[in-house]
Structure formats: C-alpha cells, structure tokens
C-alpha cells in the first residue's frame, strides 16, 4: 500500500487529493489547486475571436487546438499567453512533487480594490485557461468554469480509505481500564470488541451467533459509508448518468441524447460498460503483475551480483597483492598503479549495477503503486465514476507494462573481473608491466536442443556463457569409448558444432567439451550422455527383433566414376572398370542386415557385394585386397536381391540371394569397424534397402559344429 501513496497525491500541492477533478487529458488535480493555476486570457484571444481571426480553421479544428499544449521548451514552464496585460509573465515554481506550476496571477495595483473579501470564493474570470501540470496540455474553460470538469469520486474514495488505513488502531469499547486494541466489530451491535470482551460479551452461540463480525478497519469504513450517490450529468445537473458514449468515452444522460450532442454516437448501457472496463483493467493488471514479479526476481539477482562483485574484487585484490609482493622493489612502485586500475574496475561495476538497481527499484515502486491503485479502483461500485478514469488507467497499465520490455531485466554488467596478471616479464621490463585483458575461458554450455544421435553418429553443439567476454581460441571435444572407459579427444578446432561418426551401435557415450586460449585451458562443460541407435537381436532371444539402422551410399568416399541417384540409394558407374562405393555408416557391434536389388545387369558384369574397411582400394573389384570381404556372381541376374548379414557377436558374414543362403558362413573372425560395400561397372545398377529386420531363420550367437547357420 505504501507504493500507492504517490498515486494519491496532487501534482501541484503534493498533498492527498481534496475534491479531485478529472481534466480532459485524464489527469487529476485538486479543485483548489485548479483555481490557483488558472490563467486569464484577454478578450481578444477568446474562442470566438480566435475562430473569427483564424483563416480556414473549422470549429472541429479549434476544439483540437484548445487541447494542444502551450508548454514552452525555452523556459521549461507553462505557457501563460505571455504579453497579455492581464496575465504578466511570472517565474514558474516547483510543487512538492517536482511539477512546474505557475503561482496565482498577482493583480495590478489599480485592480486590488476590485478583489473580493479573502473569505469569499473568488469567481472564475471569463476566458480562463488551465494547463495540466503533468502533460502540459492547456484548455480554455467555458462558461461553466471548473464545474465543467467531472469530479473523480473513485479517487476521492480511494484516498479516504487509504487515510483511514493509516489512522491509529481502534480500541475496544467495552474494556473498563486501558482499552485494548479491537480485533473485530459486530455490524449488528455496532460495537468494537477485543478478544476477551468478545468472548465475554458476545459469545458465538444463541441469538448472537447470527451476527456478522468483521475486521475493525472494514467496520469503520462500513460505519462511515453512506449510500452510493447517484451520479448526475455535469451539463444537466438534474439528470442521472445512465448511458455511456463509446465515441466520446464518457457517461451521458438521456437529455444529452435528446439534445443531439451524442445522438449519432454509439451508446451502451452504463452497467455493461462498467463490467467490460473492469474486466479489461483486470486483464491488463495480470500482465503487469507478471512484469512486477520478474522485476522483483531481477532485483534479487542484481543484489546478489553486488555481493559477488565485492567478493570477487576482494579475492582479486588479494591475489594481486600476493603477486606484487613476490616481485622486486621496482615492482612495488608499479603495484599501486595496478591496484588503482582494479579499484576503478571494481567501482565501475558496482556503480553500473547499483544504478540499475536504483532505476529498477523506482520503476518497480511506481508499477506496484499503480497496481495497488488500480486494484482499489476496481473495488469501486460506482459505474460512472469508474468509467471516468478506466480508459486512462488501462492506457497507463499498458504503457507501464511496455516499459518493462526486452533488455530492462537484463544485467548491464558481469560480476567477473576479466583481468589476469602476467608475472613473467624480466626485471628490466618491470616498468612495462600491465594487465592482460584475458584469463582462461569459462566452461562452455552444451546446447541440448541441438545435440542428437542418428544411427551410430552423434552431433554435439555448444556455446560460450552469454555474459562471458573472455577470448576463446578453440574447443576440445572429448568422448569415452561407449563402455565407461576413459575420455579421448575427438575434435579440436574453432567450430561450435561437431558430428562424430563411426561410433558403436547400441552404446551409451559420455561427452564433454572445454575451451582454451593463450592463458590456458578452461573447465569442462557438464557431461552429456548420448545413446546410439540399437540394431540386431539381443543374444539368446530368438523371438524378439531389435531396432535397425538406416544408411545410404556415401558419395564422399566413393570413386569419382560412381553415379548416384534416388537420394544416394541407387548407384551405377560410367566406367567399364570395377569401381567401389561404401555405405555412410560403419558397424562394429551387434547384428545387421541389408539388401541390394539389381536394377540393370548387362553382359555379365560380375558385381561384388560385401563389407570393407574405410581404406579399401576403390579402383579394383571388391575383395581383391585384404581390406574387403565380398561375394561375386553367385547366380545374380537382373531383379535379383542380394542380402548381407553381418553378426559381430560371432564375427561372421552370411550372404543370401533371393532369400536363400549362399552356402555356409562366408567369413569368420571379423573384428573392428566395417562399411557396407559394393563394386560394379557401367553395366550394373543397384538399389540399396536398409532398415530391414534380421531374417527369421537366423538365430544370433548359435551355430552348428560345421560352421553353417542353424
């Protein structure tokens, strides 16, 4: 509630509002203060003469001109129609709230005999002008004078409740000696009770059990409250306000519609618009409340930063003193200068953060005050009074919310001291000793949303902490062996994303990354655990089928004569000589099965199908060197399907043609990483099929004594 007090004070007198009126700009001012800042204009500048003298200015334009600000940037005060005899130029003054206002016009000596008695009410002179002390917009009053401005009964009620809440505590009315503080009030008995007197004189049983007990503050308000006043029209004082003009955004009476001023405007029921605007204000307050919560958390963060800066500053100074004390006498003369630089950096950081704390605190206090004021306004049950100020409050709430935009809740300074003392120079260069604006980099942050695995490859992405300003020259990425073994370096470079191929299927890898620069190597990032794809069948489980791997042919490692199509799933060759192409995935664990169909087979080209290491010869038939294991011919024709079954649990390869096994186990004793491979010439075209389950006839890990498959 304390933050709301600024909302309840007049910008002119600085005191709580007394009989506040609403200016056309939606700002409020005390009625007495409005009289004090009135400025009289000469008859020559009356609205009628202005319209007559202004060429080409319509009545509508003049109404807009009346509301224009007469604020002068030259004197930083309010425009007072300078040069008029009736309103001599006077210096502007500042109200207690810091708003510049003009003092009342001092009458000329020859006019003093016309002044009324000090105790009488000064009449409003004709052609008077009033300027809003907050937005500097000016308006020439009509014949009604200040009576033409509506009274802000809602604000007056909020001020009254606020002042009552600040009053002294209510005392019990039944205590015989030294009355105690009242805790409840009975609305039916109209008596304030303390707890002992309530239990003794007002027990919660019998006929008194039906009485309603309320807190003392609420009871005082209900005791003073009067029936709600029926709002009357400012132009037709005998008419009640019963409708709301949507275009003019003001409550109107029936006679306003009859006279035609609002006859063509859209009008709605006063109660319906009252509920609508209360809902809009409540909705706007929800967004502002979220901003206020974020601001409170941000202030806590800034205050913690002050503590961290102070701790880091003390720690840095101690380190600096220890290094300087270890040097010779010449270094001691330089030590004072270095400490001065550290202190300047320390004070600069503290000043920036404290300034931001101060700025954010003021803004938060204003926001909280506005929120509390709006919540009090929402409690009002006077529709017309509420609607008089609801539009302005909604705009203020939205404008205040927009002030908490991007960047407002972001620290302007880090708490780290990015300074490292280089103690390596020789004694003869001690006078050149200075700070090196660098230290080891902070631990990188893994970007989990961009890290993923695909088949037996893992992609990792990382970045530096957002507030770190330390120079980074490169990164080191480390992975373990997928079996809980030691970490090993898999990448060193400047990139912040890396894909590691050739990992084991169905394995869990741990990864971490660190940054380095000329000052050294920084701390490791958090360890990320990644699971590669599962393939094949679990051992000793004939019925279950595991997940499978998907891959394509690899253009990067293939012979240049190989021609790719169908998203690298179909290959042929533009040479009559045999050329080798590998798959883009290597296998080293598990059980894997893939097939290749022969789309074209002319003149007995003799293709070869099998597996190979990454360094296999690419310009000879597959299997001609010791880097590949392949099957050739074997009754292959156009449309044939060749299957390759690779089982690392037994270290064997089996070939199938049109779903029939070609002999016993083809190769045994396989260890290491192998790629699917094929060699072909221009007379052959082959399409690869992956993601296939293990054939039903095969049981991993079991074989007969002859080596053939069960």
């Amino acid at each position: 509630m304390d933050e709301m007090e600024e909302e309840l004070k007049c910008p002119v007198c600085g005191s709580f509002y007394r009989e506040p009126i609403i200016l056309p700009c939606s700002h409020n001012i005390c009625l007495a203060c409005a009289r004090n800042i009135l400025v009289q204009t000469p008859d020559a500048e009356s609205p009628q003469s202005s319209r007559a003298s202004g060429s080409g200015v319509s009545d509508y334009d003049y109404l807009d001109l009346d509301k224009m600000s007469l604020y002068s940037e030259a004197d930083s005060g309010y425009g007072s129609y300078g040069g008029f005899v009736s309103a001599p130029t006077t210096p502007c003054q500042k109200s207690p709230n810091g708003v510049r206002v003009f003092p009342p016009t001092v009458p000329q000596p020859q006019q003093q005999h016309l002044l009324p008695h000090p105790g009488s009410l000064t009449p409003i002179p004709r052609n008077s002008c009033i300027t809003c002390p907050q937005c500097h917009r000016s308006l020439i009053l009509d014949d009604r004078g200040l009576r033409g401005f509506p009274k802000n009964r809602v604000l007056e009620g909020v001020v009254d409740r606020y002042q009552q809440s600040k009053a002294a505590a209510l005392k019990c009315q039944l205590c015989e000696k030294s009355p105690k503080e009242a805790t409840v009030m009975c609305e039916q008995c109209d008596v304030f009770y303390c707890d002992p007197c309530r239990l003794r004189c007002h027990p919660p049983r019998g006929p008194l059990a039906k009485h309603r007990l309320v807190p003392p503050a609420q009871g005082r308000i209900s005791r003073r409250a009067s029936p709600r006043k029926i709002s009357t029209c400012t132009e037709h004082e005998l008419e009640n306000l019963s409708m709301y003009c949507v275009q003019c955004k003001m409550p109107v009476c029936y006679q306003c519609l009859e006279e035609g001023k609002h006859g063509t405007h859209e009008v709605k029921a006063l109660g319906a618009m009252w509920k609508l605007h209360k809902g809009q204000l409540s909705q706007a307050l929800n967004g502002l409340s979220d901003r206020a919560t974020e601001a409170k958390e941000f202030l806590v963060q800034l205050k913690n930063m002050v503590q961290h800066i102070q701790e880091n500053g003390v720690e840095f100074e101690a380190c600096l003193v220890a290094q300087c004390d270890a040097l010779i006498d010449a270094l001691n003369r330089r030590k004072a200068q270095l400490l001065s630089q550290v202190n300047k950096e320390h004070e600069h950081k503290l000043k920036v953060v404290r300034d931001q704390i101060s700025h954010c605190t003021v803004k938060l206090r204003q926001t909280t005050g506005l929120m509390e004021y709006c919540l009090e306004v929402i409690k009002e049950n006077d529709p017309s009074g509420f609607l008089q100020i609801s539009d302005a409050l909604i705009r203020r709430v939205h404008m205040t919310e927009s002030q908490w935009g991007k960047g407002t809740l972001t620290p302007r300074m880090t708490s780290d001291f990015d300074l490292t003392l280089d103690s390596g120079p020789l004694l003869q260069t001690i006078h050149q000793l200075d700070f090196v604006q660098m230290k080891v980099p902070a631990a990188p942050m893994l970007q989990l949303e961009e890290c993923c695995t695909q088949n037996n490859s893992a992609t990792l992405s990382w970045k530096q902490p957002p507030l770190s300003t330390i120079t980074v020259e490169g990164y080191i990425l480390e992975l373990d062996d997928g079996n809980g073994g030691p970490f090993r370096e898999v990448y060193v470079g400047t990139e912040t994303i890396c894909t590691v191929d050739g990992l084991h299927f169905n394995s869990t890898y741990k990864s971490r990354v660190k940054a380095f620069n000329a000052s050294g190597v920084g701390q490791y990032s958090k360890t990320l655990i990644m699971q590669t794809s599962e393939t094949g069948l679990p051992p000793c489980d004939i019925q279950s089928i595991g997940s499978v791997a998907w891959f394509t042919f690899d253009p990067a490692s293939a012979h240049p004569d190989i021609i790719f199509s169908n998203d690298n799933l179909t290959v042929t060759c533009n040479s009559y000589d045999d050329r080798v192409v590998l798959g883009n995935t290597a296998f080293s664990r598990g059980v894997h099965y893939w097939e290749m169909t022969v789309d074209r087979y002319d003149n007995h080209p003799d293709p070869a199908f099998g597996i190979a290491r990454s360094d296999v010869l690419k310009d000879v038939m597959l299997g001609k060197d010791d880097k590949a294991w392949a099957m050739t011919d074997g009754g292959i024709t156009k449309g044939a399907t060749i299957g390759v079954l690779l089982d690392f649990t037994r270290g064997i390869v089996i070939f199938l043609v049109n779903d029939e096994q070609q002999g016993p186990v083809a190769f045994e004793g396989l260890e290491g990483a192998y790629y699917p491979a094929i060699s072909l010439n221009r007379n052959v075209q082959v399409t690869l099929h992956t993601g296939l389950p293990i054939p039903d006839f095969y049981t991993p890990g079991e074989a007969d004594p002859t080596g053939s498959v069960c």
Side-chain angles (χ1 to χ4, degrees):
M1 293 286 287
D2 294 337
E3 288 85 354
M4 186 177 63
E5 186 169 316
E6 295 183 8
E7 295 281 340
L8 308 181
K9 291 186 177 181
C10 175
V12 176
C13 64
S15 302
F16 288 107
Y17 284 106
R18 297 184 299 275
E19 298 183 276
I21 59 175
I22 306 175
L23 300 180
C25 58
S26 301
H27 291 126
N28 302 285
I29 190 175
C30 297
L31 180 61
C33 295
R35 286 182 169 274
N36 290 337
I37 65 174
L38 283 176
V39 177
Q40 184 178 359
T41 62
D43 293 339
E45 292 296 329
S46 65
Q48 293 80 3
S49 61
S50 296
R51 288 197 295 269
S53 60
S55 59
V57 179
S58 64
D59 293 343
Y60 178 80
D61 296 333
Y62 181 77
L63 292 176
D64 289 340
L65 291 174
D66 282 347
K67 298 178 181 180
M68 291 178 59
S69 173
L70 300 178
Y71 175 68
S72 170
E73 296 182 357
D75 59 7
S76 301
Y78 288 112
S80 59
Y81 298 91
F84 299 150
V85 176
S86 58
T89 304
T90 56
C92 60
Q93 299 177 351
K94 277 192 176 181
S95 73
N97 277 5
V99 180
R100 293 182 180 272
V101 296
F102 278 106
T105 303
V106 180
Q108 300 295 330
Q110 61 271 22
Q111 297 174 338
Q112 291 183 356
H113 67 281
L114 300 176
L115 292 176
H117 188 271
S120 63
L121 185 63
T122 305
I124 301 297
R126 293 185 59 194
N127 305 327
S128 296
C129 171
I130 187 172
T131 301
C132 175
Q134 290 182 283
C135 66
H136 314 311
R137 294 177 61 184
S138 298
L139 180 74
I140 297 178
L141 276 61
D142 55 17
D143 294 337
R144 295 175 298 169
L146 295 177
R147 291 185 296 105
F149 298 123
K151 294 182 178 180
N152 194 338
R153 293 185 300 278
V154 173
L155 176 58
E156 194 171 8
V158 173
V159 170
D160 184 55
R161 288 199 299 269
Y162 180 80
Q163 289 179 321
Q164 290 177 1
S165 67
K166 294 294 184 180
L170 293 171
K171 301 296 182 178
C172 176
Q173 295 177 272
L174 298 181
C175 290
E176 297 180 357
K177 299 179 180 179
S178 59
K180 299 179 181 179
E181 184 176 345
T183 57
V184 295
M185 173 196 173
C186 177
E187 290 187 336
Q188 284 71 31
C189 302
D190 196 22
V191 175
F192 291 96
Y193 298 94
C194 63
D195 285 336
C197 293
R198 175 179 60 82
L199 296 176
R200 185 179 69 254
C201 304
H202 200 289
R205 60 184 179 274
L208 298 180
K210 298 182 179 180
H211 288 197
R212 183 168 181 260
L213 302 179
V214 297
Q218 181 179 345
R220 174 165 53 186
I221 294 175
S222 61
R223 176 184 278 186
R224 296 184 180 182
S226 59
R228 191 178 74 186
K229 297 180 181 179
I230 300 178
S231 304
T232 58
C233 181
T234 56
E235 297 186 5
H236 312 97
E237 297 182 355
L238 299 180
E239 295 290 337
N240 296 333
L241 296 172
S242 58
M243 288 161 287
Y244 182 80
C245 179
V246 178
Q247 182 173 341
C248 299
K249 297 183 178 180
M250 61 181 294
V252 295
C253 68
Y254 178 77
Q255 190 171 347
C256 291
L257 300 180
E258 289 292 327
E259 293 180 354
K261 182 177 180 181
H262 302 275
T264 59
H265 296 174
E266 179 185 1
V267 294
K268 293 187 178 181
L270 195 66
M273 293 302 295
W274 175 37
K275 294 181 180 179
L276 176 63
H277 281 224
K278 273 197 173 185
Q280 292 176 351
L281 181 57
S282 299
Q283 186 176 3
L285 280 176
N286 289 335
L288 186 58
S289 177
D290 294 339
R291 292 293 186 181
T293 301
E294 294 177 6
K296 291 179 181 178
E297 296 174 354
F298 180 62
L299 281 174
V300 173
Q301 179 184 354
L302 291 179
K303 292 176 181 178
N304 290 336
M305 285 185 62
V306 171
Q307 179 66 24
H308 293 160
I309 290 176
Q310 291 175 338
E311 293 176 356
N312 291 343
V314 171
E315 179 182 356
F316 190 84
E317 289 180 8
C319 178
L320 179 62
V321 170
Q323 287 179 322
C324 291
D325 289 344
L327 300 177
I328 58 176
D329 295 339
L331 184 60
N332 290 329
R333 293 190 296 268
R334 185 67 174 166
K335 179 175 63 176
Q337 301 178 12
L338 298 177
L339 282 174
S340 176
Q341 295 182 28
V342 174
N343 290 331
K344 288 180 180 179
E345 179 73 7
H346 180 198
E347 295 300 326
H348 173 68
K349 288 179 179 289
L350 290 178
K351 183 179 182 302
V352 171
V353 176
R354 285 170 176 165
D355 289 346
Q356 192 172 10
I357 290 176
S358 175
H359 175 73
C360 193
T361 301
V362 171
K363 185 176 292 186
L364 178 60
R365 183 173 65 251
Q366 294 173 349
T367 300
T368 307
L370 177 59
M371 288 171 55
E372 293 179 354
Y373 172 56
C374 291
L375 291 175
E376 291 296 325
V377 170
I378 290 177
K379 296 178 184 177
E380 285 296 321
N381 58 359
D382 182 1
S384 61
F386 177 83
L387 291 173
Q388 287 175 342
I389 63 173
S390 60
D391 284 311
L393 287 178
I394 293 172
R395 288 195 302 271
R396 287 186 61 192
V397 169
H398 285 304
M399 182 177 65
T400 304
E401 182 182 2
S402 65
Q403 292 176 354
W404 293 102
K406 295 182 178 179
T408 307
L409 303 182
T410 302
R412 301 174 183 171
M413 182 64 65
T414 65
S415 58
D416 295 330
F417 283 73
D418 301 333
L419 304 171
T420 299
L421 184 64
D422 182 9
S423 58
L426 298 175
L427 183 61
Q428 58 269 27
T429 60
I430 196 68
H431 65 281
Q432 298 177 349
L433 183 65
D434 201 351
F435 285 110
V436 176
Q437 304 292 324
M438 183 184 299
K439 63 180 183 180
V440 295
M445 298 173 56
L446 289 170
Q447 297 182 276
L448 301 182
E449 65 277 4
E450 298 184 14
C451 298
C452 62
T453 59
Q454 183 178 10
N455 289 334
N456 63 338
S457 299
T459 299
L460 296 101
S461 177
W462 58 88
K463 64 179 180 179
Q464 280 296 104
L467 296 179
S468 177
T469 58
I470 304 173
T471 302
V472 175
E473 296 181 2
Y475 301 93
I476 300 174
L477 174 63
E478 296 182 357
L479 267 71
D480 67 355
D481 60 358
N483 195 28
F487 283 91
R488 66 187 190 280
E489 294 184 2
V490 296
Y491 171 76
V492 178
T494 59
E495 299 296 332
T496 57
I497 186 170
C498 177
T499 298
V500 183
D501 298 318
L503 302 176
H504 297 306
F505 280 95
N506 193 23
S507 299
T508 301
Y509 286 89
K510 295 180 180 179
S511 59
R512 62 188 184 184
V513 64
K514 58 184 177 181
F516 63 88
N517 59 16
S519 297
V521 180
Q523 297 292 323
Y524 284 107
S525 67
K526 293 182 179 180
T527 301
L528 177 64
I529 300 176
M530 308 183 73
Q531 175 73 38
T532 55
S533 300
E534 297 180 359
T535 61
L537 287 169
C540 303
D541 189 355
I542 302 175
Q543 301 298 325
S544 62
I545 297 179
S547 303
V548 294
W550 301 81
F551 59 92
T552 65
F553 288 117
D554 184 17
S557 62
H559 192 280
D561 292 340
I562 297 295
I563 301 174
F564 294 86
S565 60
N566 189 24
D567 294 329
N568 298 333
L569 291 174
T570 300
V571 293
T572 184
C573 183
N574 60 10
S575 173
Y576 286 106
D577 297 324
D578 291 310
R579 302 298 187 226
V580 174
V581 58
L582 304 179
N584 63 358
T585 299
F587 301 106
S588 60
R589 293 183 184 179
V591 183
H592 314 276
Y593 178 74
W594 63 93
E595 293 179 349
M596 289 169 279
T597 57
V598 181
D599 303 327
R600 191 176 72 250
Y601 191 86
D602 301 330
N603 302 324
H604 302 286
D606 200 19
F609 307 87
I611 58 174
R613 297 199 183 271
S614 59
D615 55 350
V616 64
L617 296 177
K618 307 295 176 54
D619 54 359
V620 298
M621 178 182 290
L622 194 67
K624 292 296 185 181
D625 60 2
D626 60 352
K627 304 295 185 181
W629 294 258
M631 178 194 75
T632 60
D633 202 333
I636 297 174
T637 60
K638 180 179 179 181
T641 300
I642 296 85
V644 182
L645 195 156
L646 176 60
D647 185 356
F648 281 101
T649 62
R650 294 160 54 189
I652 63 173
V653 174
I654 298 175
F655 295 102
L656 297 88
V657 177
N658 297 329
D659 296 329
E660 293 186 4
Q661 182 177 340
Q662 298 297 296
V665 174
F667 301 101
E668 294 180 319
L670 298 177
E671 293 181 355
Y674 296 88
Y675 291 84
I678 181 178
S679 65
L680 72 171
N681 59 27
R682 65 182 303 166
N683 293 322
V684 182
Q685 179 174 300
V686 174
T687 297
L688 176 65
H689 304 278
T690 63
L692 304 177
I694 306 301
D696 295 337
F697 74 89
Y698 184 72
T699 302
E702 295 183 5
D704 61 14
T706 63
S708 60
V709 177
C710 300

